[in-house]
Amino acid sequence: MNYFLRPGGQNVAAVTANMDVQNRSLLLEKSQTIEFSSIVGIIKRSQMGVLGNMYAYSGANTMYRKNAVLDCGGFCQDRATEDISIAWDQQFSGWKAVFAPDIMLYMNVPSTLGMLYSQRKRWAKGGTEAWVTNFSRIFKHPIKNIAKIVLLLDQTGSIIWSFYYLIFTGWLALKLFYFVFTNDTEQLIHTLDMVFVFSAFISMVGIWQLVASFVLDNHGAKLKYLLFAPMYMAWYWQMNAITIAVTFIPALKSVLGLAGQGTWVSPTRTKMKK
């Protein structure tokens, strides 16, 4: 409440707090602890610190000013992720967002790959819907919306990368099979070497990002979860690319009013600890 009541806070539309994972017994849950305790936090810190804008609120831990919600027409009923759409709507209407990293809230995350895929598919669809919806809004007034252009370019890069990653992975698999069947050992080893160098570079960048995130988040209390970073990166890259590709056309149809609705059912999860 202090963020809303402090001097200058009358223009604050929403305060989104720092998300942490409550259920951490399974490996998949531990790997999501890395994501919520570090990656999500450092992204929001960067967006607010550099751009003064936030791409998305946290759906499970955000307090809204009622007048700000009503001012932008309420939550979009036909969007897969209302927390993303209302964040853009409010900030386009001149309201400000706040990220409060020292306010910790807990959630229980999906504990199986099937549950995780269902959740991330909705997130990917909502992200693409926001990307398409806000293109025209930004470029009608590009000078006024420079910060939002950066957010849009970041989302554009993520979508392009996802399709590129899937196409390249398929092409690479066919290439490796061809070298095996033709007994071309030299080309096979060379290609595997290149894959190893690329993967090592990406992993090194990812590890440094995770280290920086953990140091900032909760005063480094979760650095021990860095041990689960390889698993996190392994499933995250695949899941991110697949869900964006699978939901791209449905998201376009939803924005055009041809199909889609904002209702969804949360997957069953393990019980939260007392």
Side-chain angles (χ1 to χ4, degrees):
M1 287 301 299
N2 288 330
Y3 288 99
F4 293 101
L5 299 176
R6 67 186 181 183
Q10 69 276 2
N11 201 35
V12 173
V15 178
T16 189
N18 205 352
M19 186 68 76
D20 204 351
V21 173
Q22 173 77 3
N23 51 331
R24 305 178 189 173
S25 56
L26 302 177
L27 285 175
L28 193 63
E29 296 165 352
K30 285 178 167 55
S31 67
Q32 289 174 85
T33 301
I34 294 173
E35 180 178 22
F36 284 101
S37 296
S38 58
I39 295 300
V40 172
I42 201 171
I43 287 174
K44 284 183 167 57
R45 279 185 175 92
S46 302
Q47 290 172 350
M48 293 305 300
V50 178
L51 304 172
N53 281 253
M54 192 183 301
Y55 174 78
Y57 301 146
S58 294
N61 64 354
T62 298
M63 180 178 283
Y64 296 91
R65 184 186 295 274
K66 181 180 178 181
N67 288 343
V69 175
L70 297 176
D71 182 55
C72 65
F75 293 96
C76 290
Q77 301 299 306
D78 58 348
R79 294 289 180 264
T81 50
E82 73 289 341
D83 46 357
I84 297 179
S85 63
I86 198 167
W88 282 84
D89 290 343
Q90 287 185 338
Q91 291 171 104
F92 265 115
S93 298
W95 294 93
K96 294 188 179 299
V98 171
F99 174 57
D102 291 330
I103 302 177
M104 303 296 297
L105 284 148
Y106 293 85
M107 67 177 293
N108 53 344
V109 296
S111 53
T112 68
L113 285 173
M115 296 176 188
L116 185 69
Y117 176 74
S118 176
Q119 180 196 63
R120 298 310 163 98
K121 190 165 69 169
R122 183 176 68 87
W123 289 8
K125 184 173 183 286
T128 302
E129 288 172 349
W131 176 70
V132 175
T133 302
N134 293 299
F135 241 109
S136 59
R137 296 170 75 178
I138 288 175
F139 286 102
K140 284 179 180 177
H141 306 283
I143 303 299
K144 180 181 177 182
N145 296 306
I146 289 178
K148 295 179 180 65
I149 289 177
V150 176
L151 293 177
L152 196 70
L153 288 175
D154 179 66
Q155 179 68 7
T156 303
S158 180
I159 292 173
I160 293 174
W161 177 88
S162 297
F163 281 101
Y164 169 79
Y165 177 79
L166 292 174
I167 294 171
F168 175 78
T169 301
W171 171 80
L172 179 64
L174 292 175
K175 191 175 182 180
L176 291 175
F177 277 123
Y178 174 77
F179 291 148
V180 170
F181 285 123
T182 58
N183 201 27
D184 193 341
T185 307
E186 182 179 352
Q187 285 296 326
L188 178 63
I189 294 175
H190 174 74
T191 303
L192 291 175
D193 285 343
M194 293 298 100
V195 171
F196 174 79
V197 170
F198 175 78
S199 301
F201 175 76
I202 293 297
S203 298
M204 183 174 63
V205 173
I207 290 295
W208 277 113
Q209 181 179 347
L210 288 174
V211 170
S213 303
F214 277 126
V215 169
L216 286 171
D217 194 71
N218 206 16
H219 310 291
K222 301 186 189 68
L223 271 169
K224 62 182 180 181
Y225 287 98
L226 193 63
L227 295 172
F228 302 97
M231 182 182 178
Y232 164 71
M233 288 190 283
W235 66 255
Y236 178 79
W237 295 121
Q238 325 307 321
M239 193 76 71
N240 184 52
I242 292 171
T243 52
I244 286 180
V246 168
T247 60
F248 188 77
I249 298 301
L252 293 180
K253 289 182 177 179
S254 178
V255 173
L256 295 173
L258 301 176
Q261 57 182 354
T263 57
W264 55 278
V265 178
S266 181
T268 304
R269 304 172 188 181
T270 55
K271 292 183 179 180
M272 297 177 71
K273 298 177 183 179
K274 292 183 181 179

